[in-house]
Amino acid sequence: MNEKILIVEDSPQNLRLLAMTLRAKSYTLLTAADGEEALATAVREHPDLIIMDMQLPKKNGFEVTRRLRQIPGFSKVTIIALTAYAMKGDREKCLEAGCDTYVSKPINTREFPGVIAGLLLDRRGEKNAQENPDS
Ligand code: MN
């Protein structure tokens, strides 16, 4: 399964770090550095999973997520919010915008690949259940 992952992050260092943690797996990695690019790339490439920094130039991650969730075919894409602010209520804000889950920065590089793999596995399970409702 060569799943497509879109990493949205405006910090080049963080982007490199995120890509590095996922490089050992056979994912197709796509990147975007601002909200406009994230939206355009997601619509064009239909990734299986999006890692979304919430603090982005042009359009923030909340706006991008909300917009994507309104587009048919994007209701089921797994979106992980990344945020630097471990503020109370932040998690709720991310989930309200339509993110499936939330990871606060700095990410734990040892645990992160497992989190992503787990989410993709859940997604695969849901897809199979939809396609073969009797099995
Ligand atoms: Mn940022």
Side-chain angles (χ1 to χ4, degrees):
M1 272 269 194
N2 201 0
E3 278 132 333
K4 217 185 255 190
I5 299 178
L6 170 60
I7 307 172
V8 186
E9 171 60 83
D10 60 313
S11 150
Q13 295 95 313
N14 281 343
L15 183 62
R16 217 175 305 130
L17 185 70
L18 289 163
M20 209 177 66
T21 63
L22 300 174
R23 209 160 43 193
K25 314 265 180 182
S26 58
Y27 304 132
T28 299
L29 297 180
L30 307 164
T31 64
D34 65 57
E36 300 278 5
E37 196 189 349
L39 205 52
T41 307
V43 168
R44 191 179 62 233
E45 301 282 348
H46 272 271
D48 297 290
L49 183 145
I50 302 174
I51 298 165
M52 182 86 72
D53 177 24
M54 299 313 266
Q55 283 76 43
L56 292 168
K58 295 188 184 174
K59 261 184 187 44
N60 66 34
F62 298 94
E63 291 178 76
V64 177
T65 302
R66 263 186 236 113
R67 291 278 284 274
L68 283 175
R69 290 302 190 208
Q70 289 165 0
I71 302 171
F74 279 90
S75 58
K76 292 279 193 306
V77 177
T78 304
I79 303 179
I80 306 164
L82 280 187
T83 173
Y85 307 139
M87 272 166 39
K88 210 178 163 217
D90 230 38
R91 191 171 196 280
E92 287 69 25
K93 262 167 64 190
C94 293
L95 300 181
E96 259 167 40
C99 296
D100 296 287
T101 189
Y102 164 104
V103 172
S104 56
K105 293 199 274 189
I107 60 151
N108 180 325
T109 52
R110 228 184 292 173
E111 285 175 7
F112 195 68
V115 171
I116 299 300
L119 288 166
L120 285 170
L121 206 63
D122 288 350
R123 181 184 149 77
R124 238 178 276 159
E126 275 168 32
K127 258 186 155 176
N128 288 341
Q130 274 166 19
E131 282 158 22
N132 313 298
D134 299 326
S135 65

